[in-house]
PDB file of all heavy atoms in Angstrom:
ATOM      1  N   ARG A   6     169.091 240.057 189.280  1.00 75.00           N
ATOM      2  CA  ARG A   6     167.737 240.293 189.780  1.00 75.00           C
ATOM      3  C   ARG A   6     167.796 240.816 191.209  1.00 75.00           C
ATOM      4  O   ARG A   6     168.518 240.296 192.048  1.00 75.00           O
ATOM      5  CB  ARG A   6     166.975 238.973 189.738  1.00 75.00           C
ATOM      6  CG  ARG A   6     165.524 239.107 189.895  1.00 75.00           C
ATOM      7  CD  ARG A   6     164.891 237.746 189.575  1.00 75.00           C
ATOM      8  NE  ARG A   6     163.492 237.803 189.824  1.00 75.00           N
ATOM      9  CZ  ARG A   6     162.957 237.885 191.026  1.00 75.00           C
ATOM     10  NH1 ARG A   6     163.717 237.854 192.083  1.00 75.00           N
ATOM     11  NH2 ARG A   6     161.665 237.974 191.172  1.00 75.00           N
ATOM     12  N   ASP A   7     167.070 241.868 191.491  1.00 81.00           N
ATOM     13  CA  ASP A   7     167.056 242.470 192.830  1.00 81.00           C
ATOM     14  C   ASP A   7     166.414 241.481 193.803  1.00 81.00           C
ATOM     15  O   ASP A   7     165.273 241.059 193.599  1.00 81.00           O
ATOM     16  CB  ASP A   7     166.267 243.781 192.803  1.00 81.00           C
ATOM     17  CG  ASP A   7     166.444 244.587 194.071  1.00 81.00           C
ATOM     18  OD1 ASP A   7     166.296 244.002 195.176  1.00 81.00           O
ATOM     19  OD2 ASP A   7     166.711 245.784 193.973  1.00 81.00           O
ATOM     20  N   PRO A   8     167.105 241.098 194.870  1.00 82.00           N
ATOM     21  CA  PRO A   8     166.568 240.111 195.812  1.00 82.00           C
ATOM     22  C   PRO A   8     165.345 240.599 196.586  1.00 82.00           C
ATOM     23  O   PRO A   8     164.637 239.800 197.187  1.00 82.00           O
ATOM     24  CB  PRO A   8     167.741 239.822 196.750  1.00 82.00           C
ATOM     25  CG  PRO A   8     168.628 241.003 196.636  1.00 82.00           C
ATOM     26  CD  PRO A   8     168.442 241.548 195.245  1.00 82.00           C
ATOM     27  N   ARG A   9     165.066 241.898 196.574  1.00 84.00           N
ATOM     28  CA  ARG A   9     163.882 242.412 197.270  1.00 84.00           C
ATOM     29  C   ARG A   9     162.596 242.145 196.494  1.00 84.00           C
ATOM     30  O   ARG A   9     161.517 242.212 197.054  1.00 84.00           O
ATOM     31  CB  ARG A   9     164.018 243.915 197.505  1.00 84.00           C
ATOM     32  CG  ARG A   9     165.173 244.261 198.446  1.00 84.00           C
ATOM     33  CD  ARG A   9     165.370 245.748 198.536  1.00 84.00           C
ATOM     34  NE  ARG A   9     165.864 246.251 197.249  1.00 84.00           N
ATOM     35  CZ  ARG A   9     166.088 247.517 196.987  1.00 84.00           C
ATOM     36  NH1 ARG A   9     165.838 248.443 197.894  1.00 84.00           N
ATOM     37  NH2 ARG A   9     166.553 247.898 195.808  1.00 84.00           N
ATOM     38  N   LEU A  10     162.724 241.834 195.208  1.00 85.00           N
ATOM     39  CA  LEU A  10     161.543 241.550 194.395  1.00 85.00           C
ATOM     40  C   LEU A  10     160.993 240.168 194.720  1.00 85.00           C
ATOM     41  O   LEU A  10     161.756 239.243 194.999  1.00 85.00           O
ATOM     42  CB  LEU A  10     161.888 241.594 192.905  1.00 85.00           C
ATOM     43  CG  LEU A  10     162.131 242.961 192.307  1.00 85.00           C
ATOM     44  CD1 LEU A  10     162.658 242.821 190.893  1.00 85.00           C
ATOM     45  CD2 LEU A  10     160.859 243.782 192.324  1.00 85.00           C
ATOM     46  N   PRO A  11     159.675 240.016 194.646  1.00 85.00           N
ATOM     47  CA  PRO A  11     159.107 238.675 194.818  1.00 85.00           C
ATOM     48  C   PRO A  11     159.456 237.803 193.620  1.00 85.00           C
ATOM     49  O   PRO A  11     159.981 238.293 192.610  1.00 85.00           O
ATOM     50  CB  PRO A  11     157.600 238.925 194.896  1.00 85.00           C
ATOM     51  CG  PRO A  11     157.388 240.269 194.311  1.00 85.00           C
ATOM     52  CD  PRO A  11     158.665 241.039 194.455  1.00 85.00           C
ATOM     53  N   ARG A  12     159.139 236.529 193.724  1.00 86.00           N
ATOM     54  CA  ARG A  12     159.375 235.608 192.605  1.00 86.00           C
ATOM     55  C   ARG A  12     158.643 236.117 191.365  1.00 86.00           C
ATOM     56  O   ARG A  12     157.695 236.887 191.489  1.00 86.00           O
ATOM     57  CB  ARG A  12     158.830 234.223 192.922  1.00 86.00           C
ATOM     58  CG  ARG A  12     159.499 233.549 194.081  1.00 86.00           C
ATOM     59  CD  ARG A  12     158.859 232.224 194.345  1.00 86.00           C
ATOM     60  NE  ARG A  12     157.388 232.401 194.353  1.00 86.00           N
ATOM     61  CZ  ARG A  12     156.518 231.478 194.640  1.00 86.00           C
ATOM     62  NH1 ARG A  12     156.925 230.289 194.960  1.00 86.00           N
ATOM     63  NH2 ARG A  12     155.225 231.722 194.629  1.00 86.00           N
ATOM     64  N   PRO A  13     159.062 235.666 190.176  1.00 90.00           N
ATOM     65  CA  PRO A  13     158.326 236.063 188.972  1.00 90.00           C
ATOM     66  C   PRO A  13     156.837 235.772 189.128  1.00 90.00           C
ATOM     67  O   PRO A  13     156.433 234.754 189.674  1.00 90.00           O
ATOM     68  CB  PRO A  13     158.959 235.211 187.877  1.00 90.00           C
ATOM     69  CG  PRO A  13     160.374 235.035 188.342  1.00 90.00           C
ATOM     70  CD  PRO A  13     160.250 234.877 189.847  1.00 90.00           C
ATOM     71  N   GLY A  14     156.046 236.703 188.667  1.00 88.00           N
ATOM     72  CA  GLY A  14     154.597 236.678 188.806  1.00 88.00           C
ATOM     73  C   GLY A  14     154.127 238.100 189.011  1.00 88.00           C
ATOM     74  O   GLY A  14     154.769 239.036 188.557  1.00 88.00           O
ATOM     75  N   GLY A  15     153.085 238.294 189.736  1.00 79.00           N
ATOM     76  CA  GLY A  15     152.559 239.643 189.922  1.00 79.00           C
ATOM     77  C   GLY A  15     152.860 240.212 191.282  1.00 79.00           C
ATOM     78  O   GLY A  15     153.010 239.495 192.262  1.00 79.00           O
ATOM     79  N   ILE A  16     152.991 241.517 191.323  1.00 83.00           N
ATOM     80  CA  ILE A  16     153.002 242.249 192.578  1.00 83.00           C
ATOM     81  C   ILE A  16     151.536 242.591 192.811  1.00 83.00           C
ATOM     82  O   ILE A  16     150.844 242.991 191.870  1.00 83.00           O
ATOM     83  CB  ILE A  16     153.854 243.530 192.461  1.00 83.00           C
ATOM     84  CG1 ILE A  16     155.326 243.184 192.261  1.00 83.00           C
ATOM     85  CG2 ILE A  16     153.674 244.416 193.696  1.00 83.00           C
ATOM     86  CD1 ILE A  16     156.224 244.387 192.034  1.00 83.00           C
ATOM     87  N   PRO A  17     151.017 242.447 194.021  1.00 83.00           N
ATOM     88  CA  PRO A  17     149.603 242.792 194.228  1.00 83.00           C
ATOM     89  C   PRO A  17     149.297 244.184 193.662  1.00 83.00           C
ATOM     90  O   PRO A  17     150.089 245.110 193.829  1.00 83.00           O
ATOM     91  CB  PRO A  17     149.442 242.762 195.744  1.00 83.00           C
ATOM     92  CG  PRO A  17     150.504 241.821 196.203  1.00 83.00           C
ATOM     93  CD  PRO A  17     151.664 242.017 195.253  1.00 83.00           C
ATOM     94  N   VAL A  30     156.239 240.749 187.674  1.00 91.00           N
ATOM     95  CA  VAL A  30     157.664 240.490 187.866  1.00 91.00           C
ATOM     96  C   VAL A  30     158.070 239.410 186.866  1.00 91.00           C
ATOM     97  O   VAL A  30     157.468 238.339 186.816  1.00 91.00           O
ATOM     98  CB  VAL A  30     157.964 240.023 189.310  1.00 91.00           C
ATOM     99  CG1 VAL A  30     159.441 239.728 189.482  1.00 91.00           C
ATOM    100  CG2 VAL A  30     157.495 241.061 190.318  1.00 91.00           C
ATOM    101  N   LEU A  31     159.085 239.696 186.068  1.00 91.00           N
ATOM    102  CA  LEU A  31     159.609 238.755 185.083  1.00 91.00           C
ATOM    103  C   LEU A  31     160.927 238.171 185.588  1.00 91.00           C
ATOM    104  O   LEU A  31     161.482 238.645 186.581  1.00 91.00           O
ATOM    105  CB  LEU A  31     159.848 239.472 183.756  1.00 91.00           C
ATOM    106  CG  LEU A  31     158.668 240.273 183.184  1.00 91.00           C
ATOM    107  CD1 LEU A  31     159.124 241.083 181.973  1.00 91.00           C
ATOM    108  CD2 LEU A  31     157.531 239.349 182.818  1.00 91.00           C
ATOM    109  N   LEU A  35     160.603 243.888 184.752  1.00 92.00           N
ATOM    110  CA  LEU A  35     159.206 243.994 185.177  1.00 92.00           C
ATOM    111  C   LEU A  35     158.377 244.429 183.981  1.00 92.00           C
ATOM    112  O   LEU A  35     158.883 245.094 183.085  1.00 92.00           O
ATOM    113  CB  LEU A  35     159.085 245.049 186.284  1.00 92.00           C
ATOM    114  CG  LEU A  35     159.954 244.762 187.491  1.00 92.00           C
ATOM    115  CD1 LEU A  35     160.750 245.995 187.868  1.00 92.00           C
ATOM    116  CD2 LEU A  35     159.113 244.323 188.648  1.00 92.00           C
ATOM    117  N   VAL A  45     161.236 248.896 189.788  1.00 89.00           N
ATOM    118  CA  VAL A  45     159.934 249.354 190.271  1.00 89.00           C
ATOM    119  C   VAL A  45     159.949 250.860 190.493  1.00 89.00           C
ATOM    120  O   VAL A  45     158.921 251.521 190.363  1.00 89.00           O
ATOM    121  CB  VAL A  45     159.459 248.608 191.551  1.00 89.00           C
ATOM    122  CG1 VAL A  45     159.038 247.205 191.227  1.00 89.00           C
ATOM    123  CG2 VAL A  45     160.489 248.649 192.637  1.00 89.00           C
ATOM    124  N   PHE A  60     159.721 250.352 195.703  1.00 86.00           N
ATOM    125  CA  PHE A  60     159.476 249.273 196.653  1.00 86.00           C
ATOM    126  C   PHE A  60     158.458 249.716 197.708  1.00 86.00           C
ATOM    127  O   PHE A  60     157.609 248.933 198.123  1.00 86.00           O
ATOM    128  CB  PHE A  60     160.774 248.810 197.319  1.00 86.00           C
ATOM    129  CG  PHE A  60     161.685 248.086 196.367  1.00 86.00           C
ATOM    130  CD1 PHE A  60     162.758 248.734 195.785  1.00 86.00           C
ATOM    131  CD2 PHE A  60     161.446 246.766 196.031  1.00 86.00           C
ATOM    132  CE1 PHE A  60     163.587 248.074 194.894  1.00 86.00           C
ATOM    133  CE2 PHE A  60     162.263 246.097 195.133  1.00 86.00           C
ATOM    134  CZ  PHE A  60     163.333 246.761 194.566  1.00 86.00           C
ATOM    135  N   VAL A  65     156.262 246.434 198.369  1.00 76.00           N
ATOM    136  CA  VAL A  65     157.184 245.296 198.347  1.00 76.00           C
ATOM    137  C   VAL A  65     158.082 245.346 199.570  1.00 76.00           C
ATOM    138  O   VAL A  65     158.478 244.328 200.108  1.00 76.00           O
ATOM    139  CB  VAL A  65     158.024 245.300 197.048  1.00 76.00           C
ATOM    140  CG1 VAL A  65     159.048 244.184 197.052  1.00 76.00           C
ATOM    141  CG2 VAL A  65     157.114 245.192 195.829  1.00 76.00           C
TER     142      VAL A  65
END
Side-chain angles (χ1 to χ4, degrees):
R6 194 170 175 290
D7 191 311
R9 295 174 292 177
L10 287 172
R12 297 178 313 185
I16 293 176
V30 179
L31 308 172
L35 303 131
V45 287
F60 290 100
V65 176

